[in-house]
Amino acid sequence: MSISRRQFLGWMGAAGMTGATAATARAATQRQFSGYKDSKGVLHDITRCIGCRRCEAACNRVNDLPGPDQPFDDLTVLDRKRRTTSGAYTVVNRQDAGDDRSPRFIKDQCNHCLEPACASACFVNAFTKTPEGAVVYNADVCVGCRYCMIACPFEIPAYEYHKALDPRVMKCTLCHPRLLAGKLPGCVAACPTEALVFGRREELLAVARERVRAFPDRYVNHIYGEHEMGGTNWLYLSDTPFAQMGLREDLGTTPAPKLTSGALGAVPIVVGLWPVLLTGVYAINRRKEKIAAEEQAMAVERALGQANSEAEAKMADAMKKADEEKSAAVEREVKNALSAAAKAAENEKKENAAPSEKEA
C-alpha cells in the first residue's frame, strides 16, 4: 500500500490525540497473570543432562532449520559458550560446577514466560502466549523493531540479519504445532536420559518439589522458573547454584508488563505515537524495498532481453556465415570436379589420338 507524506503525518496526529486521551497503554497493566490452566511445560533436570546434543539435533530436524556448521555429534562445540541464533532454537552449554565434580550441562532456549516480556514490548502483537503454554510469533505482523530482543531478560530471540527483505525474529516455539497434534516437543522426545520431562506445569512443579524433598543433598532447594519474572513454563532443577549455570538470579518475581506499566502509563502520548511512527516508517521502507525489488526485476528482465536479442543476432550471423561458407565450399568442389572431369577428358582424347598418329 502506498502512503503519502500528508497521510503519514495525519495518522501521527490522530495517534497523538488518541494517546493523549488514553488512560493507560496496552502494555500497562496492574494485573498479574498466573498462567493458563492446564498449560504445558518442560522440567529440565540439569543433574541428568549428559551434553549429548541430541535435543539440538531433534530441534533442528522438527523445525526444518539449516544444518549446523559442525555436526551434532561433534562435542568440541561445548568448549565455548553459545547462545541461540536464528538457525538454532536451542543450544547446550557446558558449565564448570566450581568443585571437583564433573562439568554440568544446561540447555538454553525460550523459557516461555507466563507473562512474556517480548509480548509486552511488542506493539503489533507479534508474540502471543498460548493456552498450551508456548509463546509463539507471527512474522506477518512483525515490523522488525526488535524490541522483543531488548526486552527478553534471558536474551533468547534472534534476528535473521542475513535476510534483506523479510527478516524474522526466531526462537523456540515449544514445538507448538506438535503440541496441538498431541506430540511431545522434539527435544523432549529425543532426550536419552529423561533430563527433559514434559507435562502440565503444576504437575512438573510437584515432580520437582518431590525430587528436592527426596534428595535434599543432591538439589539446590529452588525451582528456577517457578517465580522468576512472574513464572515460566520452562523449569529447571540443579545441584549447582543457578548463577554458575549461566542463569540470572537477579530478575525478581515481578512480571515484565507490571514493571513497565508505570512508565508507559505516565506518557500515553508517546505510547500512542511511537507505534504509529514505527509502523509508518516500516510501511515506507517496505514500499521502497518493493519498488527496489520491482526495479531490479525489470532491470534483470531488460538485461535478459538484451542478452537474448544479442544472442539471437549472433546466432543469425553465425548461421549466415556458415551458409555462405557452405555455399562457397560446394562451389569450390563443383569447380574442382568440373576441372578434374575436363582434364580427364582431355587426357583420354590424347590417348585415343596417339595410335592414329603412329600409323601415319
Side-chain angles (χ1 to χ4, degrees), residues 244-268:
Q244 291 181 218
M245 298 307 301
L247 294 173
R248 293 181 60 181
E249 292 187 321
D250 61 341
L251 299 176
T253 61
T254 305
K258 193 171 183 179
L259 291 173
T260 59
S261 61
L264 292 178
V267 285

Side-chain angles (χ1 to χ4, degrees), residues 162 185 252 301 330:
H162 60 285
E301 186 176 355
V330 170

Side-chain angles (χ1 to χ4, degrees), residues 217-236:
D217 296 333
R218 177 187 302 177
Y219 293 102
V220 174
N221 189 17
H222 180 64
I223 305 170
Y224 193 94
E226 181 177 11
H227 300 296
E228 277 74 13
M229 292 298 295
T232 63
N233 281 78
W234 196 282
L235 307 168
Y236 296 86

Side-chain angles (χ1 to χ4, degrees), residues 5-214:
R5 180 174 179 273
R6 183 187 296 273
Q7 287 175 315
F8 181 48
L9 294 176
W11 289 351
M12 289 182 61
M17 293 300 295
T18 302
T21 58
T24 57
R26 179 187 65 81
T29 176
Q30 298 297 328
R31 177 182 63 87
Q32 181 165 344
F33 179 59
S34 59
Y36 287 103
K37 183 181 179 182
D38 297 329
S39 68
K40 306 299 191 299
V42 176
L43 173 63
H44 177 27
D45 191 332
I46 295 172
T47 68
R48 299 187 179 190
C49 184
I50 59 175
C52 65
R53 300 184 65 205
R54 292 187 187 179
C55 54
E56 291 187 36
C59 178
N60 181 276
R61 182 174 61 256
V62 301
N63 289 291
D64 195 25
L65 299 175
D69 295 334
Q70 295 174 254
F72 288 110
D73 58 0
D74 184 354
L75 302 185
T76 61
V77 299
L78 300 175
D79 293 339
R80 64 183 186 278
K81 181 176 174 58
R82 298 177 296 151
R83 62 150 293 169
T84 56
T85 68
S86 60
Y89 293 170
T90 185
V91 295
V92 175
N93 280 312
R94 183 173 61 208
Q95 300 287 352
D96 184 5
D99 51 30
D100 294 334
R101 294 174 295 176
S102 60
R104 295 293 181 265
F105 303 94
I106 183 170
K107 177 181 178 298
D108 294 328
Q109 71 296 303
C110 175
N111 287 328
H112 301 279
C113 303
L114 298 183
E115 292 194 75
C118 56
S120 69
C122 182
F123 57 81
V124 293
N125 293 329
F127 288 92
T128 305
K129 180 68 175 181
T130 67
E132 293 76 26
V135 177
V136 297
Y137 165 74
N138 182 0
D140 293 336
V141 299
C142 179
V143 299
C145 69
R146 286 163 283 174
Y147 283 178
C148 54
M149 297 175 63
I150 300 173
C152 179
F154 304 106
E155 300 180 355
I156 292 299
Y159 196 65
E160 291 182 319
Y161 289 102
H162 60 285
K163 290 189 176 181
L165 297 182
D166 292 302
R168 298 168 295 173
V169 176
M170 307 297 282
K171 71 171 194 67
C172 161
T173 65
L174 200 62
C175 288
H176 188 247
R178 290 174 62 88
L179 300 189
L180 296 178
K183 299 178 181 179
L184 291 172
C187 58
V188 177
C191 183
T193 61
E194 296 186 355
L196 303 175
V197 180
F198 176 80
R200 291 177 58 247
R201 185 175 186 270
E202 291 304 317
E203 293 175 351
L204 295 176
L205 287 170
V207 169
R209 293 190 188 103
E210 176 58 25
R211 290 186 185 180
V212 173
R213 185 202 65 79

